[in-house]
Amino acid sequence: GLAFVPYDKNLTAFARENRKHPTAAESKLWYQLLRMRNLSTYKFIRQKPIAHYIVDFYCAELHLAIEIDGDSHAESLTYDAERTKELNKLGVKVVRYTNDDILNNLQGVYVDLMRRIAMLKETA
């Protein structure tokens, strides 16, 4: 697999700023599920620059990006599809959840994510 995922160094400062001002859904997913290897033994980081994008969460070991789609994403389906396609070309799998999923059904998100991780491990 990829040892290093290319990224635009100009996005580093912007990603750092994003980490300081997470959305409610990002905070909830980070603090209740992903932080400090709470999700199994996998290390996730927040606001990771990859290529010309910043993904919400990223696990290097699994080459897995988690994106949280807020209300504004409804208008950007084409952009999101292109972004996912580009990330896939780099070997990064993208999983998307809505703000509503995170805020109102975190248990369901957890179950879905664990199922997806198990599938990724089988194909690795």
Side-chain angles (χ1 to χ4, degrees):
L2 283 176
F4 174 78
V5 181
Y7 68 98
D8 181 344
K9 289 172 181 41
N10 296 324
L11 293 176
T12 305
F14 189 56
R16 190 174 297 120
E17 248 345 92
N18 286 351
R19 281 193 292 276
K20 292 178 188 173
H21 306 286
T23 66
E26 288 171 352
S27 276
K28 186 169 185 171
L29 186 62
W30 178 247
Y31 288 106
Q32 293 186 24
L33 217 56
L34 301 178
R35 186 171 176 255
M36 297 176 66
R37 299 180 192 256
N38 286 342
L39 185 73
S40 191
T41 59
Y42 298 103
K43 179 181 180 180
F44 282 84
I45 56 176
R46 297 180 297 156
Q47 300 299 320
K48 168 72 175 153
I50 299 176
H52 303 290
Y53 307 106
I54 298 174
V55 299
D56 293 328
F57 300 97
Y58 181 69
C59 175
E61 185 180 350
L62 296 168
H63 303 293
L64 176 66
I66 300 173
E67 290 282 81
I68 302 175
D69 295 341
D71 300 332
S72 66
H73 279 268
E75 297 91 45
S76 60
L77 294 176
T78 304
Y79 172 79
D80 287 345
E82 186 59 37
R83 177 182 162 117
T84 296
K85 194 165 102 180
E86 291 229 6
L87 293 169
N88 289 165
K89 283 183 195 171
L90 294 171
V92 176
K93 295 123 199 125
V94 179
V95 176
R96 294 183 174 281
Y97 298 105
T98 65
N99 278 344
D100 191 53
D101 290 335
I102 305 294
L103 297 174
N104 299 312
N105 186 19
L106 193 61
Q107 179 64 32
V109 169
Y110 171 79
V111 169
D112 182 66
L113 203 46
M114 292 307 291
R115 180 185 60 79
R116 289 172 185 255
I117 287 171
M119 288 172 28
L120 284 174
K121 286 170 54 178
E122 285 174 14
T123 59

